[in-house]
Amino acid sequence: MAKKPAKKLDGVSDKAVQKATGHVWSEWFAILDKSGAKKWDHREIVAYLKDNYELTDWWQQSVTVAYEKSMGRRAVGQTADTGFQVGVQKALPIDLGQTWSLLASHRGIALWLGKVSRLSLTEGKTCETACGIKGEIRVVKPGNRVRLTWHRPDMKRPATLQIALVGNGEKTSLRVHLEHLPSQKVREEMNSHWRGVLNGLANLAEE
């Protein structure tokens, strides 16, 4: 059986994973062990979770990566299909509509993307920030999520950035997922960076 996890994995506690998925980390690992997932690759584990459990894409990936890490299969945050990746989340003290408005506002965009002259969250739009980060918006689902390419000047290929919103009454969980990162070092940088971004957005939400 895979090793039992610590109380937190990539900053996600047993309490948080149980609330979102119905199981704590050790229970997910036991479920996957029993299903024969030790012999599966990353894509097969994700497919199994998608077919058999009502999990969002974010949680399918999170559970799969945590399971692979428990077996020592990968470095922290590394997958076969998406390279190094990182996911962070934070609850904002405003409802879903207010959170989306904040995310799409000039001040919000300047905080999570960077300074751009003008940018609306519209599929197909391209941008370049003052510090040289380039991107193209691929998916926009108002009140739900936005996905875009995210290409820092020192990276050989663009990463994929997704920001998802999950409403819960007067609060909203804001979740950031970044994949196709080139190394563990960059992943650690992005983990710190995006935690800071979410804290900044939370401060704006309280103004």
Side-chain angles (χ1 to χ4, degrees):
M1 182 178 289
K3 286 172 58 180
K4 290 184 177 180
K7 288 297 182 181
K8 282 191 176 183
L9 290 176
D10 279 352
V12 181
S13 67
D14 266 344
K15 183 178 179 180
V17 71
Q18 184 175 44
K19 182 178 180 180
T21 69
H23 297 286
V24 297
W25 289 120
S26 60
E27 290 171 341
W28 276 118
F29 293 179
I31 288 169
L32 289 170
D33 276 342
K34 188 174 180 180
S35 71
K38 283 184 177 181
K39 299 179 180 179
W40 300 345
D41 62 22
H42 180 85
R43 186 173 299 177
E44 289 172 323
I45 299 172
V46 171
Y48 171 80
L49 292 172
K50 181 177 181 180
D51 292 342
N52 293 278
Y53 297 92
E54 294 183 0
L55 302 179
T56 64
D57 291 347
W58 192 88
W59 280 109
Q60 290 166 20
Q61 291 289 338
S62 295
V63 171
T64 300
V65 170
Y67 180 68
E68 291 177 313
K69 282 161 42 182
S70 77
M71 296 186 292
R73 187 180 293 180
R74 300 187 184 283
V76 175
Q78 184 181 23
T79 70
D81 300 324
T82 61
F84 287 89
Q85 61 178 343
V86 65
V88 297
Q89 61 181 333
K90 188 174 184 66
L92 270 60
I94 52 178
D95 65 28
L96 190 62
Q98 292 172 311
T99 301
W100 180 259
S101 294
L102 173 61
L103 197 68
S105 70
H106 181 72
R107 291 182 72 191
I109 289 174
L111 186 56
W112 65 264
L113 181 59
K115 292 184 178 181
V116 291
S117 55
R118 288 185 179 181
L119 179 67
S120 61
L121 297 186
T122 305
E123 291 179 7
K125 288 283 188 179
T126 59
C127 63
E128 181 172 358
T129 71
C131 61
I133 294 173
K134 297 180 180 180
E136 179 182 349
I137 299 175
R138 298 288 179 81
V139 176
V140 177
K141 303 290 183 183
N144 179 262
R145 62 192 170 100
V146 57
R147 186 169 74 240
L148 63 152
T149 59
W150 193 89
H151 199 177
R152 204 168 67 175
D154 62 326
M155 293 165 56
K156 291 183 179 180
R157 60 169 293 181
T160 298
L161 168 65
Q162 177 166 279
I163 303 178
L165 292 71
V166 179
N168 183 17
E170 296 181 353
K171 295 184 179 181
T172 304
S173 178
L174 198 56
R175 299 171 179 175
V176 174
H177 186 260
L178 201 65
E179 60 188 28
H180 298 301
L181 296 172
S183 67
Q184 178 71 18
K185 179 181 178 181
V186 174
R187 180 191 180 275
E188 291 172 358
E189 292 173 2
M190 291 298 95
N191 184 56
S192 176
H193 170 76
W194 287 100
R195 289 186 186 280
V197 167
L198 291 185
N199 286 335
L201 287 170
N203 290 336
L204 282 182
E206 293 175 349
E207 290 184 359

